[in-house]
Amino acid sequence: MSNFFEHQDRAQSRTGWLVFLFVIGVLGVTVSITLLTAVFMPNAIPAAIVVSFLIIGIPFAFKLLTMSSSGALVAESLGGIRINPASQDVNERKILNVVEEMAIASGMPIPPVFILDEDCINAFAAGKTPQDAVIGVSRGALESLTRDELQGVMAHEFSHIFHGDMRINMRAIAAIFGLMAIGYVGYFILRSTMFGPRTRKTDGKAVAGIAIFGIGLIVIGCIGTFFGRLMQAAISRQREFLADASAVQYTRNPAGIGGALRKISAQASGIMHHAEASQFNHMLFSQGINTLFASHPPLAERIKRIEAIAGGVLPESSISKPTQDDPQSNDSRGKTDGRMNPIAGNLVASFAAVGSVPARNLARVQAEYSVCDKSLISAAHDPNGALAIVLAMTLSQDQTKAAVQRKIIATKMPEIEMAVNHLEQTVRKLDTQERLAFVDVACATLVFGSADVYKIFRATLSESVRSDGSISLFEWVVMQILRMRVELPMAIRGGFVAPVHNANISQVAASARRALGVIAIFGSDDAEEAKIGFQSAMKIAGLEAANMPSKEECTLDLLAKDMDQLETLRPSAAGIFIKAALSCVAADQTTTDREYLLLRALSERLSIPLPPTQ
């Protein structure tokens, strides 16, 4: 359990080695430029030092700001094109299903998938947090790998997401870009002297001097490149072994990731040809460029370690040719004859699995997909269908109230009225976690949809759920999920600055007290048990003993405002707070839908990927 929170905390500060190499690189480049300037322009040495810092610092800051804002920018920098969630291409559908299943099984938002027009077998994960992660995968990987092998590669990338590696990678991209900028400046100067306009009055010696100065900068740029490559090697190699082992843990299938690595080794097909690939080499599944310092461990060593986990040589089936079967009906997905009732599972076990893809969950999600109504899956991947699913999910069980809601939908969004009516009976057959899973899938579709259409939808949804003067717990939880998985990403793309997660529980004590009170009151019908659970939770949260809030204080609307404060908690503090909330749930030794829904909303707002109960 604590690993996820420790990794996320460490990702905010685990940059010591990165900073050391960056500083050494900056000093090396600056000293070299100073010496070069001393030869050509001795009087300009102070200016040269300042210019050196600016040439490195400005590109570094620019790259850090731009790349840190969105993982999608990394994918687009490599020529990636986002795969339409509704795509029916066999290979694209295969990767979308694999990523979707893993995200649902782990409780994290479903990351968009970008396809790179590269023949090699490679992939990456990019972003700052699990909430804004994206997956990139080469066309060669889609065409060459079986579903099991692709699942192994994706499990490897999900490990990078959960272990906080993406944040380090994004900072490294900026540092490497800054160090290599001197070489680009030298190239520009040299090119200008060779191809720039000239007149009879042009001083040939001056031009030659400038050209030599440009060549000198290019040579100095090699120093920056040297430290950039060294930086990539330093931060990547050991993390790849950890991600490989995690992939086996998540999938329980060493042959999957092992087969993918074997194919890369056999075909020597990890090398990418995009001009920007060198900047992102350290974050790829396998080494993407040929360089002096290997950014990844040798493929043979990675395969050897996976074989050790498997207990011997990997089975040959791991490198079989991919089939053209419909990915949704693949026999390897572990079909079952009936549905499971996951809400009866153990929330404590789910919390212990935070920051991973529980293999049991993954198998269950795959089984559920294989027997699920295909019209629901299709609707969740379609922009209008996704809107209709969320509205259908929030229709009241009371037919009189539902009739009022349908009328509101027909008035506000007549274009999806029929779809809502068609889906209503189907969604009523789903249990709580299945319904939320489809809301999650719908969010992944809506987040890249029209902002104007979404505003109309959001207003329609708000009016619909409050049409009877109140809001149910399930409806409220859906609102929280939409806020975090659709509205916040849309706002960030529009320039909104995301909340900073650096607070301790003591700094938001009042909000923490009320949130724990809501969970205690909603989770137990016995007042004494609720008080016991509340006091236990306060102690675990490290807060002073206090009276439990009254029922009048514990409304969902007030809790939503408290969550605005709680979502600023640093990852480790958020983990402690969720653990405290779980003690409320465990007080009466039972787990109800209400308790799960509250914990799901709380974990959503705290950016904690809480896996479904097992």
Side-chain angles (χ1 to χ4, degrees):
M1 173 274 297
S2 61
N3 284 343
F4 170 78
F5 305 106
E6 290 172 1
H7 283 307
Q8 295 301 315
D9 260 353
R10 240 182 261 139
Q12 297 185 18
S13 57
R14 188 184 56 185
T15 54
W17 186 234
L18 188 68
V19 170
F20 173 75
L21 290 175
F22 181 63
V23 170
I24 295 298
V26 170
L27 291 176
V29 169
T30 303
V31 170
S32 299
I33 290 179
T34 302
L35 294 175
L36 182 66
T37 305
V39 174
F40 289 92
M41 296 171 284
N43 296 328
I45 289 178
I49 295 174
V50 173
V51 170
S52 298
F53 282 115
L54 290 176
I55 290 176
I56 296 173
I58 292 175
F60 168 76
F62 171 77
K63 204 73 167 181
L64 187 64
L65 289 173
T66 54
M67 287 299 174
S68 295
S69 64
S70 171
L73 289 176
V74 174
E76 290 166 355
S77 296
L78 287 169
I81 298 175
R82 187 175 69 91
I83 300 177
N84 186 334
S87 172
Q88 293 305 309
D89 176 85
V90 172
N91 286 325
E92 292 181 356
R93 189 72 259 152
K94 178 171 64 176
I95 182 63
L96 288 171
N97 290 341
V98 166
V99 170
E100 201 167 274
E101 291 161 3
M102 284 196 170
I104 292 172
S106 65
M108 70 169 274
I110 300 169
V113 181
F114 287 76
I115 187 168
L116 310 180
D117 191 19
E118 297 275 359
D119 293 330
C120 65
I121 299 174
N122 227 319
F124 65 87
K128 287 178 65 179
T129 67
Q131 284 63 43
D132 69 355
V134 305
I135 295 291
V137 61
S138 66
R139 188 172 298 281
L142 296 187
E143 294 174 350
S144 302
L145 301 182
T146 66
R147 192 184 199 282
D148 283 352
E149 290 164 349
L150 201 57
Q151 187 183 65
V153 173
M154 290 301 103
H156 174 104
E157 298 306 328
F158 269 69
S159 172
H160 283 314
I161 293 172
F162 292 133
H163 290 143
D165 296 337
M166 293 190 307
R167 186 185 295 268
I168 302 297
N169 286 338
M170 301 295 267
R171 290 172 178 170
I173 290 170
I176 292 165
F177 186 70
L179 289 173
M180 295 172 67
I182 291 290
Y184 295 138
V185 172
Y187 174 77
F188 176 78
I189 291 174
L190 180 62
R191 185 177 177 82
S192 297
T193 59
M194 294 176 64
F195 302 105
R198 296 184 184 182
T199 67
R200 292 181 179 180
K201 296 182 179 181
T202 300
D203 188 337
K205 290 184 178 180
V207 171
I210 294 173
I212 294 172
F213 186 76
I215 293 172
L217 289 180
I218 293 174
V219 173
I220 293 171
C222 293
I223 297 175
T225 301
F226 170 84
F227 280 99
R229 298 287 176 253
L230 188 61
M231 200 178 299
Q232 287 179 324
I235 66 176
S236 179
R237 292 171 65 88
Q238 290 305 314
R239 294 183 297 112
E240 294 305 314
F241 286 131
L242 173 60
D244 287 345
S246 296
V248 176
Q249 175 192 344
Y250 298 165
T251 63
R252 292 182 182 172
N253 182 13
I257 186 170
L261 290 170
R262 276 185 166 182
K263 283 184 176 176
I264 295 173
S265 179
Q267 302 172 13
S269 56
I271 303 302
M272 296 177 62
H273 300 291
H274 195 279
E276 301 294 326
S278 63
Q279 294 182 51
F280 307 103
N281 188 39
H282 58 289
M283 61 194 301
L284 299 174
F285 175 71
S286 65
Q287 187 148 321
I289 62 170
N290 292 315
T291 181
L292 177 63
F293 294 103
S295 59
H296 291 62
L299 289 171
E301 179 64 20
R302 292 173 69 180
I303 293 170
K304 182 179 178 181
R305 293 198 182 196
I306 293 171
E307 286 178 343
I309 297 173
V313 178
L314 295 173
E316 289 301 317
S317 60
S318 67
I319 54 173
S320 60
K321 294 181 179 179
T323 65
Q324 295 300 314
D325 295 339
D326 179 359
Q328 288 285 17
S329 61
N330 192 310
D331 289 339
S332 68
R333 304 185 65 197
K335 296 180 181 178
T336 61
D337 294 330
R339 293 184 176 276
M340 302 174 70
N341 181 17
I343 201 63
N346 191 334
L347 276 171
V348 176
S350 291
F351 182 57
V354 164
S356 70
V357 184
R360 186 176 175 182
N361 275 12
L362 183 58
R364 191 185 74 228
V365 171
Q366 291 174 337
E368 291 286 345
Y369 256 56
S370 68
V371 297
C372 185
D373 189 313
K374 297 302 183 288
S375 66
L376 272 180
I377 296 176
S378 178
H381 293 142
D382 175 77
N384 282 339
L387 298 172
I389 276 186
V390 177
L391 289 169
M393 292 282 185
T394 53
L395 289 176
S396 174
Q397 298 288 337
D398 184 314
Q399 286 304 310
T400 302
K401 295 179 180 178
V404 175
Q405 291 177 302
R406 291 190 204 97
K407 186 175 181 180
I408 293 171
I409 294 168
T411 302
K412 300 284 187 180
M413 302 192 75
E415 67 275 16
I416 63 171
E417 177 191 6
M418 289 184 62
V420 173
N421 294 337
H422 174 73
L423 293 167
E424 180 180 359
Q425 294 306 314
T426 304
V427 300
R428 290 190 189 280
K429 300 174 185 177
L430 304 176
D431 66 36
T432 299
Q433 290 198 107
E434 289 171 336
R435 294 168 76 192
L436 290 179
F438 276 104
V439 171
D440 293 341
V441 177
C443 286
T445 301
L446 295 176
V447 71
F448 284 98
S450 166
D452 292 335
V453 172
Y454 183 81
K455 287 178 182 178
I456 297 172
F457 157 76
R458 192 63 171 79
T460 303
L461 178 63
S462 296
E463 185 176 345
S464 172
V465 299
R466 295 184 183 275
S467 59
D468 61 352
S470 63
I471 182 171
S472 73
L473 179 57
F474 180 83
E475 293 166 343
W476 181 80
V477 171
V478 169
M479 296 287 202
Q480 305 311 309
I481 294 172
L482 288 171
R483 172 191 170 96
M484 298 302 293
R485 299 200 177 193
V486 181
E487 293 156 22
L488 183 59
M490 279 185 169
I492 291 174
R493 288 204 303 272
F496 174 77
V497 178
V500 177
H501 304 283
N502 59 4
N504 294 315
I505 297 176
S506 59
Q507 295 173 282
V508 292
S511 296
R513 171 180 169 270
R514 177 152 44 204
L516 294 174
V518 171
I519 293 171
I521 290 171
F522 272 71
S524 178
D525 295 325
D526 186 303
E528 284 304 312
E529 284 185 347
K531 288 181 181 179
I532 293 172
F534 173 76
Q535 296 300 341
S536 172
M538 290 286 284
K539 184 176 181 180
I540 291 173
L543 297 173
E544 294 182 4
N547 293 329
M548 188 170 70
S550 65
K551 286 188 176 181
E552 289 72 24
E553 292 180 84
C554 295
T555 66
L556 294 177
D557 285 339
L558 289 175
L559 178 58
K561 293 180 180 179
D562 289 325
M563 285 184 173
D564 291 341
Q565 300 298 315
L566 293 173
E567 67 182 17
T568 64
L569 289 173
R570 64 186 307 110
S572 56
I576 293 171
F577 187 75
I578 288 288
K579 185 177 181 181
L582 275 169
S583 71
C584 283
V585 173
D588 59 1
Q589 303 299 312
T590 61
T591 300
T592 66
D593 271 17
R594 290 180 301 177
E595 291 169 323
Y596 172 75
L597 285 169
L598 282 170
L599 284 171
R600 171 62 198 272
L602 188 59
S603 63
E604 198 73 37
R605 292 295 298 272
L606 296 182
S607 300
I608 295 174
L610 182 68
T613 54
Q614 301 178 38

